[in-house]
Amino acid sequence: MLLEKPTTRRKFLLGSLLALPLSDLVLKGLTAAQAAEMAAPELADYKPGFFSADEWQFILAATDRLIPAGGKGKAPGALETNVPIFIDQQLQTSEFGDEIYLQGPFNVHADPTFGYQIPFTPQQMYHTAIKLVTQWVQTTYNKPFQQLTLEEKDDVLTKLNKNGIDFAALGEPNMKASQFFSQLLSDTKHGYLADPMYGGNKGMKAWIAIGFPGARASFTEWVKQHNVPYPLGPVSLMGERA
């Protein structure tokens, strides 16, 4: 017997797509973007390389509230577009954050115009902050963040944004809650809107939702057509078309 385990239509199509040129994909009713979406990791099956299992559950729940799904026919959410995978893969990169000056002195209460004022790399920030948030949530609600109601999750994230959770009181005087929230929100936005080659924006769904053309190289025929909706779908840096 050739197959010891039953295959699925999805796996069969993926295996077939590996050997097909773009023209064949179109003939078979699949665009390159649809093929790329099928080849992208399934969030439910993805094994994080940077986050621990508990940290991963926090990231899934937090990004889902920062960019929630709009529902059928509306803009996709962070989970539908693999935003957590983008964040995990970015943090796995050893060069990520290397350009940040970490020699001090630091003043966590300095005006934002003074630049980065945290003695942590982004990787260290995530590990440290998630531990503190988890500690605060467990003490306050007696359950982990991912088990909170939607309203409770939003309240926790709002408190992070407004420094309603005192990291210093939890044992970390060198980082404010709002600084972690800003990093998390920024990375979530990047994962949602970045090119799919970086792990997020699965199937260019976010670009499709906002009407962004992506990496199309020529718009000369549209320069003088004002107030006319652009009819063509987005193109990724790898040449995938939606």
Side-chain angles (χ1 to χ4, degrees):
M1 188 173 180
L2 292 177
L3 296 175
E4 295 183 359
K5 296 182 180 179
T7 189
T8 63
R9 179 177 180 272
R10 177 187 179 86
K11 291 180 179 178
F12 174 77
L13 286 172
L14 277 176
S16 303
L17 290 173
L18 294 177
L20 291 176
L22 178 60
S23 59
D24 284 348
L25 293 178
V26 176
L27 287 175
K28 290 182 178 294
L30 290 172
T31 67
Q34 289 170 325
E37 180 181 349
M38 292 177 67
E42 283 292 337
L43 187 59
D45 299 329
Y46 179 78
K47 304 299 182 185
F50 173 78
F51 293 111
S52 68
D54 289 339
E55 290 172 337
W56 184 239
Q57 291 304 311
F58 172 84
I59 291 296
L60 291 173
T63 55
D64 184 42
R65 295 311 301 153
L66 291 175
I67 306 181
K72 186 176 181 180
K74 298 182 180 179
L79 301 188
E80 294 173 78
T81 51
N82 279 2
V83 167
I85 294 178
F86 168 87
I87 297 175
D88 183 70
Q89 292 182 347
Q90 289 295 302
L91 293 171
Q92 288 183 57
T93 307
S94 59
E95 295 83 9
F96 188 66
D98 274 358
E99 75 283 359
I100 299 175
Y101 181 79
L102 293 174
Q103 299 305 310
F106 299 101
N107 180 0
V108 70
H109 300 293
D111 188 276
T113 56
F114 284 88
Y116 198 82
Q117 292 288 328
I118 310 171
F120 299 118
T121 63
Q123 291 89 339
Q124 293 168 332
M125 177 191 288
Y126 269 95
H127 284 320
T128 302
I130 292 177
K131 180 180 179 180
L132 296 175
V133 176
T134 299
Q135 177 184 336
W136 186 90
V137 170
Q138 189 66 41
T139 300
T140 304
Y141 295 100
N142 198 32
K143 53 186 173 182
F145 180 80
Q146 62 269 20
Q147 293 182 12
L148 300 180
T149 66
L150 299 183
E151 292 75 15
E152 289 170 341
K153 290 175 185 175
D154 290 349
D155 183 59
V156 171
L157 292 172
T158 299
K159 281 183 168 61
L160 285 174
N161 184 33
K162 297 182 177 181
N163 289 314
I165 299 176
D166 188 354
F167 278 8
L170 295 172
E172 183 47 71
N174 295 313
M175 175 170 48
K176 294 191 296 184
S178 60
Q179 292 169 320
F180 168 62
F181 179 84
S182 294
Q183 181 74 42
L184 175 62
L185 179 60
S186 176
D187 291 341
T188 299
K189 290 178 179 178
H190 289 162
Y192 190 69
L193 296 171
D195 189 273
M197 70 182 292
Y198 298 107
N201 192 13
K202 181 181 179 183
M204 294 180 276
K205 292 177 181 177
W207 288 357
I208 294 171
I210 65 175
F212 181 64
R216 286 190 176 274
S218 176
F219 300 92
T220 54
E221 67 273 30
W222 293 94
V223 172
K224 296 183 179 180
Q225 298 191 47
H226 303 295
N227 300 316
V228 177
Y230 187 70
L232 303 179
V235 176
S236 75
L237 291 174
M238 301 297 290
E240 302 148 352
R241 297 171 183 268

